Amino acid sequence: MAVLFLSTPERGAVFRDLFARDLPDMPFHVGQAPDPEAVRYIVAWTAPEGLARDYPNLRLIFSTGAGVDQFDLPALPPRVGVVRMLEPGIARQMREYAVMATLAMHRDLPAYLDSQRREAWTPRANTPAAERRVGVMGLGNLGQTVLAGLRPFGFDLAGWSRSPRGVEGVTCLTDLDAFLARTDILLCLLPLTAETEGMLNADLFDRLPMGARLVHLGRGRQLDHGALRAALDTGRIAQAMLDVTDPEPLPPGHWLWRDPRVIVTPHIASQTVAREGALHVLAGIQADLRGDSPAGLVDRARGY
Ligand code: NDP
Ligand code: OXD
């Protein structure tokens, strides 16, 4: 029985030390396993080529990130469980970024950065936080953490999810129309699935109040970039902050590099903390060895 780690050697060293401390009898290989048949667990961002053939005894593949859309889930053998990364550093960093981005949208930061570049001293009227309706798509681990981070600012908070949820201080909705109609700042924290791909499109933007703002934190392929540009041009969306795009990185000359209404960051809202990631994987393997389900086991049919 062995673990195969397929990420950077630096992260591998952190994992190796913690495995030696907490699971000393489990062989831990970085990059390559001398005996692939012994591999029961893989830690990776994407599935290695020939996974079904080369690792006949694989039980679990642990994603090094929170998302699992980078795996071709239907192509994995049914015996292999997929586990998303639930280390707490990801949620902490997402809370920081989402608070920063929501405040940037609330206080018109893109417009002020543009004024500064144009040497224009142009104050705008501030809107009280209580009059700003903030809506988070996705009420999972990250959506709920972000909402908790936003609560102290006094925004009028709502969240949208597939199944009914209850979050303190948040209007939780499953009706998308009702949710969008009351959203001035929209944050997307949905996983990328067949249902959410392309969901941030013209039809959805038209259901937002005029002058709404968008913070996109999920995956680039959820956003129709052309529809965003059109919505910015009509004023339906006033400003946006995107941490994820399609493609990543943006190609040279792409309009998003230069549009003053948009702030783009290079998919850095959260980065897995190696030490906490190793503890999450260790706990998952220990659970599996006991015959329990690891935390973060993905519903492969649902896609998240
Ligand atoms: P979770 O699985 O914990 O939560 C997902 C939420 O989305 C759930 O509330 C779920 O609803 C909801 N949802 C999924 N599909 C639909 C749908 N079709 N309609 C309505 N609601 C839906 O995920 P996390 O919070 O851990 O992560 C969310 C995503 O954030 C990741 O998949 C990843 O893509 C992205 N991410 C981005 C990062 C970045 O740096 N930019 C870093 C980390 C993650 P329900 O509650 O009903 O199941
Ligand atoms: C993740 C990400 O999924 O960084 O962890 O996007």
Side-chain angles (χ1 to χ4, degrees):
M1 206 180 290
V3 180
L4 174 59
F5 183 86
L6 298 172
S7 181
T8 64
E10 296 75 30
R11 284 182 175 187
V14 175
F15 272 67
R16 187 192 293 286
D17 286 352
L18 286 164
F19 268 77
R21 186 192 75 182
D22 292 354
L23 265 184
D25 295 334
M26 175 79 70
F28 182 89
H29 307 292
V30 178
Q32 213 176 344
D35 176 9
E37 292 203 1
V39 172
R40 295 285 197 285
Y41 307 104
I42 288 182
V43 186
W45 176 244
T46 54
E49 284 249 327
L51 176 143
R53 181 195 59 226
D54 295 344
Y55 304 100
N57 297 310
L58 183 67
R59 284 183 54 77
L60 295 174
I61 182 159
F62 290 86
S63 172
T64 52
V68 294
D69 54 281
Q70 70 282 9
F71 295 116
D72 182 1
L73 293 177
L76 292 174
R79 69 182 146 83
V80 176
V82 177
V83 184
R84 65 202 174 103
M85 180 51 74
L86 276 180
E87 66 87 2
I90 293 179
R92 271 197 314 268
Q93 294 167 64
M94 185 57 79
R95 183 179 57 204
E96 284 173 10
Y97 186 105
V99 167
M100 169 181 75
T102 304
L103 292 177
M105 296 295 104
H106 171 56
R107 298 302 299 264
D108 297 325
L109 188 63
Y112 286 121
L113 292 176
D114 186 45
S115 295
Q116 181 189 353
R117 280 184 212 108
R118 292 186 292 101
E119 301 186 18
W121 192 266
T122 20
R124 297 161 157 236
N126 291 335
T127 300
E131 292 173 22
R132 193 78 85 177
R133 298 164 298 175
V134 176
V136 176
M137 300 178 88
L139 287 175
N141 183 39
L142 299 180
Q144 293 200 29
T145 302
V146 161
L147 282 159
L150 289 171
R151 202 173 298 134
F153 294 94
F155 293 115
D156 181 355
L157 298 173
W160 177 74
S161 56
R162 184 211 299 267
S163 42
R165 300 265 162 192
V167 182
E168 195 196 328
V170 178
T171 303
C172 293
L173 298 165
T174 52
D175 177 339
L176 183 58
D177 279 334
F179 168 77
L180 293 172
R182 53 93 64 225
T183 295
D184 301 314
I185 302 180
L186 178 67
L187 282 77
C188 178
L189 264 167
L190 293 170
L192 178 64
T193 64
E195 285 178 35
T196 67
E197 180 156 13
M199 186 169 190
L200 302 176
N201 57 23
D203 174 56
L204 182 142
F205 295 151
D206 283 347
R207 292 185 270 165
L208 290 167
M210 206 64 185
R213 290 113 206 267
L214 171 69
V215 176
H216 189 26
L217 302 162
R219 287 289 184 260
R221 277 165 46 205
Q222 289 161 337
L223 172 64
D224 177 339
H225 291 63
L228 171 62
R229 194 177 197 176
L232 288 163
D233 289 345
T234 60
R236 172 67 60 183
I237 293 192
Q239 314 175 352
M241 187 151 174
L242 313 179
D243 184 53
V244 288
T245 61
D246 180 35
E248 291 179 5
L250 289 171
H254 194 284
W255 66 276
L256 279 172
W257 284 120
R258 302 213 176 279
D259 195 305
R261 301 164 294 186
V262 185
I263 296 176
V264 175
T265 53
H267 199 147
I268 45 68
S270 296
Q271 294 164 344
T272 301
V273 178
R275 186 185 157 77
E276 296 185 82
L279 295 176
H280 166 70
V281 172
L282 271 161
I285 292 176
Q286 283 161 336
D288 186 60
L289 293 172
R290 284 196 308 270
D292 294 335
S293 259
L297 187 67
V298 163
D299 177 337
R300 286 182 47 179
R302 217 174 46 166
Y304 69 96

